[in-house]
Amino acid sequence: MLKINRQTDYAVRIILALSKKVQGARVSSSEIGREMLIPPALLQRIVADLAAGGFILTQTGRDGGITLAHEPKQITLLQVVEHFEGELYLSDCVLKPNECPFERRCPVHCQWVRLKNVLRDEMARITFEQLVGEGHQIEEAQSPGPIRVRQFDALSASESVA
């Protein structure tokens, strides 16, 4: 099964939460952790890993916090996922091609390579700016719109009763 691990999912949540903030604004990591439901035990390790990967900047002290190192439009889902997971592969025959005795004549191998490239290309197109925009669209679609009051008049009431 192709599945990203929990740490990667939390890292994506952190970048998404920071992408929603004003560019350059520092936010406490604990605030992001509460907002994105990330356990404190994992939060500091993931923040440190994101900082080491150049995704976020950290500042300690009274006015400290974390902020994105780049604009959300410059950070892709693929970059964050591969930072935590390594390069994506769908099959060992793609990961270790020299170990497969059928590599050069196997139609399945060719499809695994093609599908891996499709997945990577799609993830490379998804920026955190796009994800923030899609999040706003989802929120708008789920929020109740203005309450529409149906006008009631005596004439229509008497017609429907008759």
Side-chain angles (χ1 to χ4, degrees), residues 10-33 35-36 38 43 46-48 50-51 54-58 64-73 75 80 128-129 132:
Y10 290 154
V12 168
R13 290 188 205 181
I14 292 169
I15 298 295
L16 180 61
L18 290 172
S19 296
K20 294 177 183 179
K21 309 292 182 196
V22 174
Q23 183 68 26
R26 281 191 293 278
V27 183
S28 75
S29 57
S30 58
E31 179 183 328
I32 295 293
E35 179 183 335
M36 301 310 283
I38 300 170
L43 182 64
I46 297 167
V47 165
L50 285 168
F55 294 101
I56 64 173
L57 302 172
T58 61
I66 59 176
T67 187
L68 289 179
H70 310 280
E71 294 178 28
K73 67 181 177 186
I75 305 171
V80 177
F128 279 85
E129 179 181 62
V132 168

Side-chain angles (χ1 to χ4, degrees), residues 1-143:
M1 171 183 357
L2 176 65
K3 180 180 175 184
I4 63 167
N5 69 44
R6 187 172 40 168
Q7 181 175 319
T8 304
D9 180 52
Y10 290 154
V12 168
R13 290 188 205 181
I14 292 169
I15 298 295
L16 180 61
L18 290 172
S19 296
K20 294 177 183 179
K21 309 292 182 196
V22 174
Q23 183 68 26
R26 281 191 293 278
V27 183
S28 75
S29 57
S30 58
E31 179 183 328
I32 295 293
R34 282 189 304 276
E35 179 183 335
M36 301 310 283
L37 306 175
I38 300 170
L42 292 174
L43 182 64
Q44 294 309 315
R45 183 174 4 151
I46 297 167
V47 165
D49 205 352
L50 285 168
F55 294 101
I56 64 173
L57 302 172
T58 61
Q59 183 172 332
T60 58
R62 185 170 171 254
D63 295 323
I66 59 176
T67 187
L68 289 179
H70 310 280
E71 294 178 28
K73 67 181 177 186
Q74 296 173 315
I75 305 171
T76 68
L77 186 59
L78 179 67
Q79 290 169 324
V80 177
V81 169
E82 285 195 341
H83 176 73
F84 284 87
E85 299 286 336
E87 190 172 349
L88 299 178
Y89 292 99
L90 299 177
S91 170
D92 280 344
C93 78
V94 177
L95 178 61
K96 305 170 191 170
N98 296 332
E99 293 182 16
C100 178
F102 303 108
E103 175 201 356
R104 298 199 190 278
R105 58 181 194 255
C106 178
V108 177
H109 173 83
C110 296
Q111 292 305 316
W112 286 136
V113 170
R114 183 186 68 77
L115 291 168
K116 175 196 93 149
N117 291 334
V118 167
L119 178 62
R120 291 187 83 250
D121 290 347
E122 286 300 312
M123 290 177 73
R125 284 189 193 96
I126 301 169
T127 67
F128 279 85
E129 179 181 62
Q130 175 186 345
L131 292 172
V132 168
E134 290 173 2
H136 291 312
Q137 290 175 347
I138 291 168
E139 288 172 11
E140 288 173 9
Q142 291 179 349
S143 67

